[in-house]
Amino acid sequence: MSEVDHAARAASEAFATFGWLSGRKKGELLRAIASRLEAGGEKIVEQANAETSLGLPRLKNELARTCNQLRMFAALVEEGSWVDARIDHSKVDVRSMLRPIGPVAVFGASNFPLAFSVPGGDTASALAAGCPVIVKAHPAHPETSRLTARAISDVAPEGVFALVEGYEAGIDLVKHPLIKAVAFTGSRRGGRALMDIAAARPEPIPVFAEMGSINPVFILPGAMRERGAEIAAGLHASVTLGVGQFCTNPGLVIATHSNAFLDELAQKIAARPCAPMLTPSIADAYEAGVARFASLVDRRAFVEGGAALFTTDAPSFLRHEELMEEVFGPSTLVVECESRERMLEVARSLEGQLTATIHASEGDDDRDLVKILETKVGRIVFNGYPTGVEVAPAMVHGGPFPATSDGRSTSVGTRAIERFARPVAWQNAPDAILPDELKEGNPLAIRRMVDGKF
Amino acid sequence: MSEVDHAARAASEAFATFGWLSGRKKGELLRAIASRLEAGGEKIVEQANAETSLGLPRLKNELARTCNQLRMFAALVEEGSWVDARIDHSKVDVRSMLRPIGPVAVFGASNFPLAFSVPGGDTASALAAGCPVIVKAHPAHPETSRLTARAISDVAPEGVFALVEGYEAGIDLVKHPLIKAVAFTGSRRGGRALMDIAAARPEPIPVFAEMGSINPVFILPGAMRERGAEIAAGLHASVTLGVGQFCTNPGLVIATHSNAFLDELAQKIAARPCAPMLTPSIADAYEAGVARFASLVDRRAFVEGGAALFTTDAPSFLRHEELMEEVFGPSTLVVECESRERMLEVARSLEGQLTATIHASEGDDDRDLVKILETKVGRIVFNGYPTGVEVAPAMVHGGPFPATSDGRSTSVGTRAIERFARPVAWQNAPDAILPDELKEGNPLAIRRMVDGKF
């Protein structure tokens, strides 16, 4: 406990000051972290490649994305209106705004050693909110974690950032009374374990766990007729991108029957072996998942140590709950549906998902499908592919359980900051004691709701 | 299970339509409920008085407040901008907005048979979000619950509203797979029990439990000197208001020593017995709480079947954790502090609270106190009293655990609607399939964030 305890105490002490830092100062910190990461970029990317095998081009992109995220949150807090300041000059004077929740524990992901790890979106959004951060390093890339942690520690005020390592440290962190929220990206099993620990604390705390999903892709009859082969090519690229190691990997395809489509997809899948996976244990789990699927449905295409394509029909899919489980890796299952009603039935049977995708042509009626999927997912993609999550204000990277622990949250996009903030009201407070955001004269010139109007 | 199961299935079916109802239509429903409640007002208020002994004037006010709340949420959804619509015309077109979470279970409170019960703020905000509601009636006012439930059922679409009764029905409701969120106002024990049940579900769901608190009132030396007697009078009114049966009742006073203040407060407390409490079991619990306090600290004033005033010093208070527990009723404990540092020490020791109050004069330095309290409470009141929660957009009626289950939420004010909504994104969607809120032409003329700017 002592390392974790030390970090949590330091974070709690730092919070008293850091929680009141101006948006300008927090912006400076986030931009300084981005600059440090860029300055050490070559070394960081090489180290990450040595530990993850994800390849230099992908990792360079990921580093750029990570710095973009940091600067997006910097811009958000520099502008300052994110605090949702509200003023009512009613019988009593009530003013409220979002304030940081306190020290946050962040669990990095294996599949994004930068963008969803130590310097990733969870850390960026928590720091932007004014919360000190303690990251539990992912064991799949310890040196990358240490390198990037140093880039943050070098510029962060005392106590505002710390890195801890090891399974026990992670558990201790979630149990520590001074930790006020948890962010996690990883497996359903890992996320659920943290949710259970957090819920059982004397003081329960929120856990924002992004646990991945199978990201169903629906191909409607018109779209299949018009561009089945084209969709097969796009789908293959999405299934095998990053050796299938994305939370938004399309693990399920619900489609009208088409030989052309299946042949094209099968041929591409079988064409070449994939790059190595992130870790031996991930590769083992993938192999086991593929074997499990092979025992339940038809294996249409497969390459040793590589991608896999399975096919089945709707009744079989609906009968086997196991087919709804994520196989983390470049595998996908096509469920062939002979009717629109069957497709809707499969849609209704789905658990919560990060995304769902619909391929439809002008003649396809997808309204009922959209209405069903909207209740199941965080993002609906039209005529595209689920992989690739834009870093932009409107983005939602979330979705109902089990895709995430709390379907009301997103871990990408500017709304991610709201996970680490809570509203606080000041009633009849003297102007001098109010935070600048709530002072009558609006010295920060932020957008505010005054007497119900913006 | 069958009654609960029936209601939950009906709610889930109704959600497919109700969840897409326009703001105008939802506004109509909320206004129709308010009109129904007003039309039956005399009968409702009389019934509530017979079941709660709260008195006709208070209950008439509460009915007016309840209708205000319904109309506040009606206005919010009619205007429509609450959905936080965002549009990014980036490499990919991403548009997102808040969507209703699904059927909500509401647990009414004993102490507000209208404003925090069947037709109260939780029901109003959930319906406004587009969520069907199933209320579990509080056993302290069953007939009032039935009367007000009828007012809602008479105008709500099929399946959108239901009332269930009984302890088991409440548990079954929180466990039901079609229920997607829980709102509760009541005791810490009750709230925690629901939190634990919800967290242990195969699909955990959010619980928004407002569990009350002791609402500390700090009186600084200058304020005590200048207007100790005046504060004593105001405090007495707040402690005894509604026989002390408010979540915001001030159960703890942290003050510099003053004979004049204590004498005045003691004299008022002892002056007259209170009205009957809500239920015999609440009266019993109050009596037990008073007896518990009497065994730990000095009983300064007490009247049979009425208010109680206790006093102690800071070291004793800090030694006895039990003194931090809420005694639901017209009782308060004054902790006398000989120094500013002692006062800050008591502040630091506090659990999460709905409110904290500071009485300070020009010469008092309350900056450090405010900084501590801001991390502990949902609302800081200056030179006033915590009872009385304005229904207004900026209001926060929440606070860190154990005041509520989720300090990031409020059950009063327009932000209450956010408890029952989650963001959903549409990527590269044809304009025709987009909700009106996200269509390029902005047909509803709501405030939106486009490419990061409002």
Side-chain angles (χ1 to χ4, degrees):
Chain A
M1 190 71 158
S2 75
E3 187 202 1
V4 166
D5 188 49
H6 179 261
R9 283 170 192 271
S12 184
E13 260 172 57
F15 179 54
T17 309
F18 188 66
W20 285 103
L21 220 58
S22 68
R24 195 174 53 76
K25 286 275 179 196
K26 287 187 290 187
E28 268 174 28
L29 171 62
L30 293 165
R31 290 182 194 280
I33 295 170
S35 298
R36 285 264 159 169
L37 292 171
E38 282 168 346
E42 204 166 331
K43 201 171 159 195
I44 290 168
V45 163
E46 271 169 25
Q47 183 59 50
N49 192 41
E51 289 181 315
T52 66
S53 314
L54 285 171
L56 293 177
R58 143 75 197 265
L59 288 163
K60 272 184 198 163
N61 277 339
E62 192 180 325
L63 182 64
R65 179 200 176 98
T66 306
C67 295
N68 277 349
Q69 288 178 161
L70 286 158
R71 292 191 178 112
M72 179 184 77
F73 284 111
L76 184 75
V77 297
E78 284 160 356
E79 193 281 326
S81 302
W82 75 274
V83 299
D84 186 26
R86 299 182 178 202
I87 298 176
D88 297 328
H89 299 102
S90 47
K91 213 166 57 189
V92 294
D93 181 290
V94 181
R95 294 161 191 251
S96 59
M97 64 180 280
L98 296 179
R99 293 282 304 139
I101 196 170
V104 172
V106 170
F107 289 71
S110 64
N111 59 342
F112 278 90
L114 305 170
F116 288 86
S117 279
V118 175
D122 289 339
T123 297
S125 54
L127 290 176
C131 299
V133 168
I134 304 173
V135 175
K136 189 268 181 186
H138 198 286
H141 47 264
E143 272 307 326
T144 309
S145 297
R146 286 175 207 135
L147 263 180
T148 49
R150 219 164 298 142
I152 303 176
S153 297
D154 281 351
V155 292
E158 173 94 30
V160 166
F161 177 82
L163 182 74
V164 298
E165 301 186 39
Y167 177 83
E168 285 301 330
I171 306 290
D172 289 346
L173 202 52
V174 177
K175 287 185 176 169
H176 200 288
L178 294 174
I179 296 296
K180 298 301 181 191
V182 177
F184 168 92
T185 306
S187 71
R188 178 166 176 179
R189 203 168 135 188
R192 180 72 197 235
L194 296 188
M195 289 170 69
D196 290 344
I197 292 170
R201 286 169 48 125
E203 177 193 342
I205 54 174
V207 173
F208 303 101
E210 193 269 83
M211 301 178 281
S213 65
I214 55 174
N215 303 294
V217 175
F218 292 81
I219 310 172
L220 274 58
M224 186 62 101
R225 264 195 314 273
E226 277 179 21
R227 48 195 170 85
E230 187 193 317
I231 296 171
L235 196 57
H236 170 258
S238 185
V239 167
T240 56
L241 189 69
V243 201
Q245 298 165 121
F246 285 106
C247 306
T248 50
N249 184 260
L252 182 67
V253 180
I254 300 96
T256 188
H257 173 78
S258 159
N259 278 328
F261 166 78
L262 273 185
D263 289 346
E264 176 77 16
L265 188 55
Q267 196 188 321
K268 284 191 179 293
I269 290 277
R272 59 181 165 89
C274 291
M277 296 191 79
L278 287 160
T279 67
S281 72
I282 286 178
D284 289 349
Y286 174 65
E287 215 170 294
V290 164
R292 197 170 65 244
F293 269 50
S295 73
L296 294 167
V297 291
D298 297 331
R299 184 154 74 176
R300 180 75 180 233
F302 179 62
V303 52
E304 199 59 49
L309 169 64
F310 298 94
T311 58
T312 191
D313 55 19
S316 305
F317 178 76
L318 293 169
R319 226 173 19 244
H320 294 292
E321 249 184 30
E322 311 93 295
L323 294 174
M324 211 105 61
E325 282 165 28
E326 185 181 2
V327 175
F328 191 72
S331 155
T332 198
L333 167 64
V334 177
V335 178
E336 296 191 302
C337 296
E338 81 270 27
S339 68
R340 184 171 169 279
E341 194 34 59
R342 274 284 189 230
M343 218 176 246
L344 297 180
E345 206 180 327
V346 171
R348 279 189 212 99
S349 78
L350 294 169
E351 298 182 303
Q353 306 285 337
L354 292 170
T355 74
T357 298
I358 300 174
H359 283 271
S361 74
E362 297 263 314
D364 288 316
D365 174 10
D366 56 357
R367 295 198 168 255
D368 289 342
L369 184 58
V370 169
K371 289 218 167 173
I372 295 167
L373 294 177
E374 183 266 336
T375 68
K376 306 263 186 185
V377 310
R379 177 167 56 111
I380 309 182
V381 180
F382 291 82
N383 300 315
Y385 304 93
T387 43
V389 182
E390 287 295 298
V391 175
M395 182 48 73
V396 178
H397 188 58
F401 186 91
T404 76
S405 53
D406 183 346
R408 300 179 316 117
S409 69
T410 174
S411 65
V412 178
T414 50
R415 278 194 194 95
I417 198 174
E418 295 169 16
R419 297 175 296 171
F420 308 117
R422 64 186 187 87
V424 177
W426 279 256
Q427 183 170 318
N428 289 342
D431 207 61
I433 204 103
L434 284 168
D436 285 349
E437 287 86 345
L438 298 178
K439 283 194 204 303
E440 189 64 19
N442 195 9
L444 301 178
I446 57 174
R447 187 178 44 89
R448 311 195 293 190
M449 183 193 277
V450 179
D451 300 324
K453 303 229 178 303
F454 281 94
Chain B
M1 190 70 158
S2 75
E3 187 201 0
V4 165
D5 187 50
H6 179 260
R9 282 170 193 271
S12 184
E13 261 171 56
F15 179 54
T17 308
F18 188 66
W20 286 104
L21 219 59
S22 68
R24 197 172 53 75
K25 286 275 179 198
K26 286 188 291 186
E28 268 174 28
L29 170 62
L30 293 165
R31 291 183 194 281
I33 294 169
S35 298
R36 285 266 159 168
L37 291 172
E38 283 168 346
E42 204 166 331
K43 201 172 161 196
I44 290 168
V45 163
E46 270 169 26
Q47 183 60 49
N49 192 40
E51 289 180 315
T52 65
S53 314
L54 284 170
L56 293 176
R58 142 76 198 262
L59 289 164
K60 272 183 196 161
N61 276 339
E62 192 180 325
L63 182 65
R65 179 200 177 96
T66 307
C67 295
N68 277 350
Q69 288 178 162
L70 286 158
R71 292 191 178 111
M72 179 183 77
F73 285 110
L76 185 75
V77 297
E78 285 160 356
E79 194 280 327
S81 301
W82 75 275
V83 299
D84 186 27
R86 299 181 178 201
I87 298 176
D88 296 328
H89 300 101
S90 47
K91 214 167 54 188
V92 293
D93 181 291
V94 180
R95 295 160 191 250
S96 59
M97 62 180 281
L98 296 178
R99 293 283 305 142
I101 195 171
V104 172
V106 170
F107 288 71
S110 64
N111 59 342
F112 278 90
L114 305 171
F116 288 85
S117 279
V118 175
D122 289 339
T123 298
S125 53
L127 290 176
C131 300
V133 168
I134 304 175
V135 176
K136 189 267 179 187
H138 197 288
H141 47 262
E143 273 305 327
T144 309
S145 297
R146 288 175 205 135
L147 263 178
T148 48
R150 219 163 298 142
I152 304 176
S153 297
D154 282 351
V155 291
E158 174 94 28
V160 167
F161 177 82
L163 182 75
V164 299
E165 300 185 39
Y167 177 84
E168 285 301 331
I171 306 290
D172 290 346
L173 202 52
V174 178
K175 288 185 177 169
H176 199 289
L178 294 174
I179 295 296
K180 298 300 181 191
V182 177
F184 167 92
T185 307
S187 70
R188 179 167 174 177
R189 204 168 132 187
R192 179 74 197 233
L194 297 188
M195 288 169 72
D196 290 344
I197 293 170
R201 287 169 47 126
E203 178 195 342
I205 54 174
V207 173
F208 303 101
E210 193 270 84
M211 301 178 281
S213 64
I214 55 175
N215 304 293
V217 175
F218 291 81
I219 310 172
L220 273 59
M224 185 63 102
R225 265 193 314 274
E226 276 179 20
R227 48 194 169 85
E230 186 194 316
I231 296 172
L235 197 56
H236 170 257
S238 185
V239 168
T240 56
L241 189 71
V243 202
Q245 297 164 123
F246 285 106
C247 306
T248 51
N249 185 260
L252 182 67
V253 180
I254 300 98
T256 187
H257 173 77
S258 160
N259 278 326
F261 166 77
L262 273 185
D263 289 347
E264 177 77 18
L265 187 55
Q267 197 188 324
K268 283 192 181 294
I269 290 276
R272 59 181 164 86
C274 292
M277 295 191 80
L278 287 160
T279 68
S281 72
I282 286 177
D284 289 349
Y286 174 65
E287 215 169 294
V290 165
R292 196 171 64 244
F293 269 49
S295 73
L296 294 167
V297 292
D298 296 330
R299 184 154 74 177
R300 181 73 180 235
F302 178 62
V303 52
E304 199 58 51
L309 170 64
F310 298 93
T311 59
T312 192
D313 55 19
S316 305
F317 177 75
L318 293 168
R319 228 173 18 243
H320 294 292
E321 251 186 27
E322 312 93 294
L323 295 174
M324 214 108 59
E325 282 165 28
E326 185 180 3
V327 175
F328 191 71
S331 157
T332 198
L333 166 65
V334 177
V335 178
E336 297 192 302
C337 296
E338 81 270 26
S339 68
R340 183 171 169 281
E341 196 33 61
R342 274 283 190 232
M343 217 176 248
L344 296 180
E345 206 181 325
V346 171
R348 279 189 211 100
S349 78
L350 294 170
E351 300 181 302
Q353 306 285 337
L354 292 171
T355 75
T357 298
I358 299 174
H359 283 271
S361 74
E362 296 262 316
D364 288 315
D365 174 10
D366 56 358
R367 294 199 169 253
D368 289 341
L369 185 58
V370 169
K371 289 216 168 173
I372 295 167
L373 295 177
E374 182 266 335
T375 67
K376 306 263 185 184
V377 311
R379 177 167 56 111
I380 309 182
V381 180
F382 291 81
N383 300 315
Y385 303 93
T387 43
V389 182
E390 288 294 298
V391 175
M395 181 49 72
V396 178
H397 188 58
F401 185 89
T404 75
S405 54
D406 183 347
R408 299 178 317 115
S409 69
T410 173
S411 65
V412 178
T414 48
R415 279 194 192 94
I417 198 173
E418 295 169 16
R419 297 176 296 171
F420 308 118
R422 63 186 188 87
V424 177
W426 279 257
Q427 182 170 318
N428 289 342
D431 207 62
I433 203 103
L434 283 168
D436 285 348
E437 288 86 345
L438 298 179
K439 285 192 203 303
E440 189 64 19
N442 195 9
L444 301 178
I446 57 173
R447 186 178 45 87
R448 312 195 292 190
M449 184 194 276
V450 180
D451 298 324
K453 302 231 178 302
F454 283 95

